[in-house]
Amino acid sequence: MASATGKTRGLKNMELKQRPGPLQDAQPLCTARKGPGTSGSSICLLPALLLPLLLWPSTLWTGCGAAPLDPARPPSVSLPHSFMLKSSEQARRVQAEAMVMQEKLCATHRLCHPEELALLGHSLGIPWASLRSCSSRDLQLLGCLRQLQAGLMLYQGLLQALAGISPALSSSVDLLRLDVADFATTVWQQMEDLGVAPAAQPTLGTVPAFTSAFQRQAGGVLVASHLQDFLELALRALRYLSRP
């Protein structure tokens, strides 16, 4: 009887020792794996965990430093309603063309997710167009129009750098570049009408030199995506500035 009890206790102790605990079930961040003819290698999960953290700020670039406009606070100076109608029409046209270009790049080259190309865009030196003066509570008409016009000139230069992206997209890129240039001219003329235009128009500035077809295609996805976000913020600010 005593021997049977001892055996039962021994079996229970063995079960407790073999039963995995919370720490045993957890997957380590780095594990060592050895293969034939190798001294061993480490497989780390840290890069996979850190990659979303690296990509996350790039998805929020449009809202960086932005504060919502106060609908109860009218602007100090209002833009003409005719300018708002014309600029809205031009902005929506450019947004639609940029979306078509992005969809073609997705269908043809399987480049469908701009957020996955964010790090590549940084390494290629694709600049961001700022609209801080259009997004803060202290929105100023002069600063907003200047940043809007400068941003449109920047995108005009970026689209020019995408020339030769592919035979199927060349006409789409050219049309988009011309419509962006027309919108920039409209903003410049409005600045002249208000007497706030600088002495000289801003130049296209320095744009990245794409050295391969893949760089142009990836750059096209990023430029098209960023341009749509840029214009969405611009339209929100222009609607606010056009209030009576």
Side-chain angles (χ1 to χ4, degrees):
M1 188 74 178
S3 61
T5 304
K7 289 182 180 180
T8 303
R9 289 178 179 175
L11 290 174
K12 288 183 178 180
N13 289 335
M14 289 178 63
E15 289 177 358
L16 290 174
K17 290 180 180 179
Q18 294 176 355
R19 186 177 299 167
L23 295 178
Q24 291 175 320
D25 289 337
Q27 188 175 5
L29 292 178
C30 293
T31 59
R33 180 175 296 177
K34 293 185 178 180
T38 62
S39 59
S41 60
S42 294
I43 302 176
C44 292
L45 300 180
L46 280 175
L49 297 174
L50 292 177
L51 184 58
L53 298 178
L54 292 173
L55 294 179
W56 175 72
S58 64
T59 62
L60 301 179
W61 72 273
T62 53
C64 183
L69 299 174
D70 185 1
R73 179 183 175 184
S76 56
V77 180
S78 296
L79 291 170
H81 186 64
S82 57
F83 169 74
M84 180 59 203
L85 291 177
K86 184 175 183 179
S87 59
S88 295
E89 179 184 353
Q90 290 177 314
R92 291 306 183 196
R93 184 187 307 122
V94 169
Q95 280 185 313
E97 291 169 356
M99 184 180 296
V100 170
M101 174 178 151
Q102 190 175 343
E103 290 173 350
K104 287 182 178 180
L105 284 165
C106 174
T108 306
H109 303 289
R110 298 295 185 267
L111 298 171
C112 304
H113 305 288
E115 62 276 8
E116 295 179 357
L117 302 172
L119 295 179
L120 176 61
H122 179 72
S123 65
L124 290 176
I126 298 177
W128 309 103
S130 174
L131 277 178
R132 286 182 182 271
S133 295
C134 299
S135 305
S136 66
R137 292 187 183 276
D138 298 324
L139 183 148
Q140 297 295 324
L141 176 63
L142 174 58
C144 182
L145 289 179
R146 282 183 173 176
Q147 285 193 340
L148 174 56
Q149 212 266 346
L152 291 170
M153 295 294 290
L154 171 64
Y155 283 111
Q156 187 180 344
L158 288 170
L159 290 167
Q160 185 173 317
L162 293 174
I165 183 172
S166 72
L169 284 168
S170 293
S171 59
S172 298
V173 173
D174 290 341
L175 178 61
L176 182 56
R177 180 175 56 83
L178 291 174
D179 284 337
V180 169
D182 287 343
F183 190 12
T185 300
T186 298
V187 176
W188 178 265
Q189 290 173 346
Q190 183 59 48
M191 292 169 67
E192 286 185 328
D193 292 343
L194 294 173
V196 296
Q201 290 196 33
T203 60
L204 297 182
T206 303
V207 294
F210 301 109
T211 58
S212 68
F214 173 74
Q215 287 185 0
R216 283 189 290 273
Q217 293 155 9
V221 173
L222 291 171
V223 170
S225 175
H226 296 168
L227 178 57
Q228 293 174 67
D229 293 337
F230 173 83
L231 290 175
E232 194 62 39
L233 278 177
L235 281 173
R236 187 178 66 177
L238 289 177
R239 282 194 293 267
Y240 176 81
L241 288 170
S242 300
R243 294 171 55 196

